[in-house]
Amino acid sequence: MSHQFDLLVIGDANPDVIVGPLRTPLAFGQREHLVDSGSLTLGGSAAITAAGAALLGLEVAIAGRVGDDAAGWFVREALAERGVDTSALAVDPDVPTPLTVILTQDGDRAILTTPGTLGVTTAADVPAELLAASKHVHASSYFLLPKLAAELPRLLRLARSHGATTSVDTNDDPAGTWDPAGVAALLPETDFLLPNAAEVRNLAGKSSAREAATALAARGPAVVVKDGDRGAFACADGELVSAKGIPADAVDTVGAGDSFNAGFLAAVLAGMALGKSLEFGVACGGLSVRAAGGTPGQPTWDDVLVHLARTETDPA
């Protein structure tokens, strides 16, 4: 079956304001903190994944909702500049675009998000014809989009009926409940589940990320786990495959997992085996930390190939 788009990404799109690093504990009482840097960039797991995939050469569309405000138009323009089709990124006249502030400190970060349109985004924001026109459908930020999440198994099932493969990155659950019933309904419709190590443990209720991945993989998807500077590993069909992390002098790790998603999915769609797709995703995530924000440091396809060739000739 022929498809107009290589990848449809469903989910969140918003500006990120990234400030830090904090040198002292955050204090209230109208105390002012001076930090080294601040940046305004394209944010939202779905938007960062879509932008990264488009830079890698895929034909990409995004579906979701933003507000009719400066933040929403910033997001739409930033995605369009990167070659992402935004015709299904609806503009809501009544609800504002989500906003995220990220505070960095000692290699970690705290994330503050105003939900805005995330709370009113529904399955109706994902056109059926777009699902039919896409070779792969990826959903981001499951727990931030409750109305959409309830209908996500049906949307993915519809996409698969048109020959698409599917993936989900749930991201963190601010409520800490991890929706066991909803996730159970989602897993059979998902070809690739893309959590990080902390998320996979919470999703499966296990203390070990590898045990958690194995347990979730037994319920349907290949489980692909992002494991920070250790790289990534995947459990599929009873087999465990891993890829080492790459050395990186990180400027900012915001969005690295989403850049991994973009690279991994691009490699899968290019026909690479699971192990090679992991290596490609790790390279995309590792190279993305070269600049502040989720998208400014994202690599091109040639950037990744050069990096992988250099790694093969100089493994150290």
Side-chain angles (χ1 to χ4, degrees):
M1 180 181 296
S2 90
H3 296 96
Q4 179 183 357
F5 295 102
D6 299 309
L7 176 64
L8 166 62
V9 184
I10 302 170
D12 51 335
N14 56 264
D16 277 352
V17 178
I18 305 167
V19 292
L22 291 172
R23 305 295 184 190
T24 58
L26 185 64
F28 288 85
Q30 301 185 55
R31 296 299 306 277
E32 186 158 358
H33 298 260
L34 295 179
V35 295
D36 293 343
S37 66
S39 60
L40 171 66
T41 66
L42 178 65
S45 180
I48 295 171
T49 299
L55 189 59
L56 290 167
L58 274 62
E59 293 293 330
V60 182
I62 188 168
R65 195 185 294 207
V66 295
D68 187 9
D69 50 27
W73 294 108
F74 169 83
V75 166
R76 289 178 61 87
E77 183 177 349
L79 284 164
E81 285 176 352
R82 288 160 174 80
V84 177
D85 187 299
T86 62
S87 57
L89 189 59
V91 177
D92 191 312
D94 301 315
V95 183
T97 302
L99 293 172
T100 293
V101 176
I102 299 168
L103 305 176
T104 66
Q105 183 178 46
D106 298 331
D108 200 358
R109 59 187 183 264
I111 304 171
L112 309 175
T113 295
T114 62
T117 52
L118 298 178
V120 296
T121 302
T122 71
D125 292 308
V126 185
E129 60 271 22
L130 192 52
L131 291 169
S134 302
K135 187 175 181 180
H136 185 93
V137 176
H138 173 76
S140 292
S141 297
Y142 174 88
F143 296 109
L144 296 183
L145 297 141
K147 291 185 177 180
L148 179 64
E151 290 291 314
L152 193 56
R154 180 182 65 80
L155 292 179
L156 297 185
R157 187 160 54 249
L158 179 58
R160 292 173 111 188
S161 74
H162 292 291
T165 48
T166 60
S167 58
V168 176
D169 186 349
T170 64
N171 300 100
D172 187 41
D173 179 8
T177 64
W178 299 93
D179 189 16
V183 171
L186 186 65
L187 293 177
E189 309 301 338
T190 305
D191 291 299
F192 299 98
L193 184 68
L194 295 159
N196 65 28
E199 291 158 0
V200 77
R201 290 193 296 269
N202 284 307
L203 287 166
K206 303 282 187 182
S207 59
S208 160
R210 298 202 174 215
E211 288 180 8
T214 301
L216 292 172
R219 297 162 66 185
V223 180
V224 179
V225 180
K226 295 159 283 192
D227 201 15
D229 58 8
R230 289 175 291 277
F233 64 89
C235 184
D237 300 322
E239 183 181 4
L240 199 63
V241 182
S242 62
K244 294 187 297 183
I246 70 170
D249 186 10
V251 173
D252 180 10
T253 61
V254 170
D258 305 314
S259 293
F260 171 95
N261 292 346
F264 175 80
L265 294 175
V268 167
L269 290 169
M272 294 186 193
L274 183 59
K276 289 295 183 184
S277 296
L278 279 180
E279 291 176 8
F280 202 92
V282 167
C284 286
L287 292 171
S288 76
V289 305
R290 300 172 292 180
T295 58
Q298 288 179 319
T300 66
W301 187 272
D302 286 344
D303 289 337
V304 180
L305 293 183
V306 168
H307 167 78
L308 292 176
R310 186 182 304 123
T311 302
E312 289 176 3
T313 58
D314 182 16

